[in-house]
């Protein structure tokens, strides 16, 4: 049976570290760090994510603010809101919760965010810095996985890593981070996706599999090698009328059978998700310390 990479426990520890750091700054007479979120429309998952981000801010002593905008807002009006946050000196960082309504060009919105306030690490300037091993904001989910591998002392040097999924916020940056110099990193990375032929040929040989596909229970025991490390980024709402909320959260991994064969594994929920939330706070803290010094 695999050991659990416990994102709840580790994220609590990281939040505690951030909270203590914030108190020290505030005791010295500094303002608290301030994170803002723009939420467009009423998408259920997005509302929950943003609520959680605000709760996290409160838990560590950050100031937070929320800009709620209607689904019908025009691209121009949204760009206008972003311009206001870009120049707001009271703000260390802000995020625009994705996905956006279809009539809004997501790339144009991301490009409009001041890279120094882009604590999601989605702006191409931050993506480029990440790829070139320069300082900048790392996207929260890949960053959270890196911190998890580091704190659990998972060896990555020279390991064969297979990433499943090439999204701009998880798969692609994850593949770059694992191939960068350093620890965690120094891995040999294969980035697989929907057009990959014989995916199983890759996953079967991998020392570490990081799956960010969004297909519940996709990864089966026969697809991995004995002792592999499994990181499950998938978190899909599956309808279930027996649950109070009407759904349950499913990862990409068939947990019970894969856990029996793996050496380490992240559960869903309670693995990567809480780490993602903690890394948004870490990025905001980084921006804050840049700003007040
Ligand atoms: N939608 C899903 N994940 C994220 C995230 O990490 N940040 C933002 N802004 N939107 C998301």
């Amino acid at each position: 049976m695999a050991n659990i990479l416990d994102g709840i426990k580790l994220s609590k520890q990281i939040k505690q570290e951030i909270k203590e750091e914030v108190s020290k700054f505030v005791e010295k007479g500094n303002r608290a760090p301030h994170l803002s979120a723009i939420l467009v429309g009423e998408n259920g998952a997005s509302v929950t994510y943003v609520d959680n981000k605000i709760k996290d801010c409160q838990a560590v002593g950050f100031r937070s603010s929320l800009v709620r905008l209607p689904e019908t807002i025009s691209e121009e009006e949204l760009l206008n809101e972003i311009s206001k946050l870009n120049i707001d000196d009271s703000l260390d960082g802000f995020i625009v919760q994705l996905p956006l309504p279809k009539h809004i060009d997501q790339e144009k919105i991301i490009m409009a965010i001041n890279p120094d306030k882009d604590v999601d690490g989605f702006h191409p300037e931050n993506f480029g810095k990440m790829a070139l091993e320069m300082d900048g904001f790392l996207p929260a989910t890949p960053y959270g996985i890196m911190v998890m591998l580091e704190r659990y002392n998972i060896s990555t040097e020279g390991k064969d890593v297979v990433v499943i999924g090439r999204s701009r916020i998880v798969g692609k940056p994850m593949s770059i981070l694992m191939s960068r110099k350093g620890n965690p990193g120094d891995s040999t990375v294969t980035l697989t996706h929907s057009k990959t032929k014989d995916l199983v040929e890759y996953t079967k040989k991998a020392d570490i599999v990081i799956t960010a596909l969004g297909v519940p229970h996709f990864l089966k025991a026969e697809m991995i090698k004995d002792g592999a490390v499994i990181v499950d980024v998938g978190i899909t709402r599956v309808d279930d009328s027996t649950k109070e909320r009407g759904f349950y959260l499913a990862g990409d991994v068939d947990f019970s059978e894969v856990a029996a064969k793996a050496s380490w594994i992240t559960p869903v929920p309670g693995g990567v998700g809480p780490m993602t939330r903690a890394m948004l706070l870490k990025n905001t803290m980084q921006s804050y310390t840049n700003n007040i010094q």
Side-chain angles (χ1 to χ4, degrees), residues 38 46 49-50 53 94-99 120 122 139-141 169-170 276 280:
I38 297 182
S46 292
Y49 287 149
V50 170
K53 288 169 187 178
F94 67 95
I95 63 149
V96 179
Q97 187 65 30
L98 304 178
D120 255 334
F122 289 173
T141 299
I169 65 175
V170 185
T276 298
L280 181 62

Side-chain angles (χ1 to χ4, degrees), residues 38-41 46 71 73 78 82 96-110:
I38 297 182
L39 174 58
V40 180
S46 292
E71 184 85 23
I73 192 168
L78 179 55
I82 291 171
V96 179
Q97 187 65 30
L98 304 178
L100 291 166
K102 291 209 167 43
H103 66 277
I104 294 174
D105 180 349
Q106 181 178 295
E107 292 305 322
K108 208 165 162 184
I109 297 304
I110 291 171

Side-chain angles (χ1 to χ4, degrees), residues 253-273:
V253 176
D254 197 324
F255 186 86
S256 52
E257 62 172 66
V258 171
K261 200 170 172 188
S263 60
W264 289 92
I265 189 166
T266 61
V268 175
V272 174

